[in-house]
Amino acid sequence: MTLVQAALFQWVNPKAWIIAGGAILTYGRPWLMAVLFALTALVSLLAWAALGLGTARLLRTPAALRRFNWAMAALLVLSLVPVLLG
């Protein structure tokens, strides 16, 4: 997916529409809500991009990528423990 496709995809994101609609109905002022949502999205995007760049630097070798994948798999399995036991 290209950057443009990803940006256009956000226009059909039902969760975003529900949140935006709820905020506008609750607080009014659609332009203020649009600015706040845009600023929040920008900060979030920059944080994820920085995290991605940092992670890419750490995972340059196949061995590092394999260790990362195993660690993520273990965390995923551990996240299921409360669901299965609770």
Side-chain angles (χ1 to χ4, degrees):
M1 180 177 291
T2 67
L3 178 65
V4 172
Q5 290 171 331
L8 291 174
F9 184 69
Q10 292 307 306
W11 285 101
V12 296
N13 184 349
K15 291 182 292 185
W17 283 106
I18 290 170
I19 291 170
I24 290 169
L25 288 173
T26 301
Y27 302 109
R29 300 181 183 162
W31 288 109
L32 176 62
M33 289 293 118
V35 170
L36 289 175
F37 274 69
L39 289 174
T40 303
L42 179 63
V43 170
S44 177
L45 174 80
L46 292 174
W48 277 107
L51 184 65
L53 284 174
T55 304
R57 288 186 188 126
L58 294 174
L59 302 177
R60 289 186 184 196
T61 66
L65 183 58
R66 193 175 316 106
R67 284 192 301 272
F68 177 78
N69 285 335
W70 276 105
M72 292 296 105
L75 289 172
L76 177 62
V77 170
L78 285 173
S79 73
L80 293 174
V81 171
V83 174
L84 297 174
L85 296 179

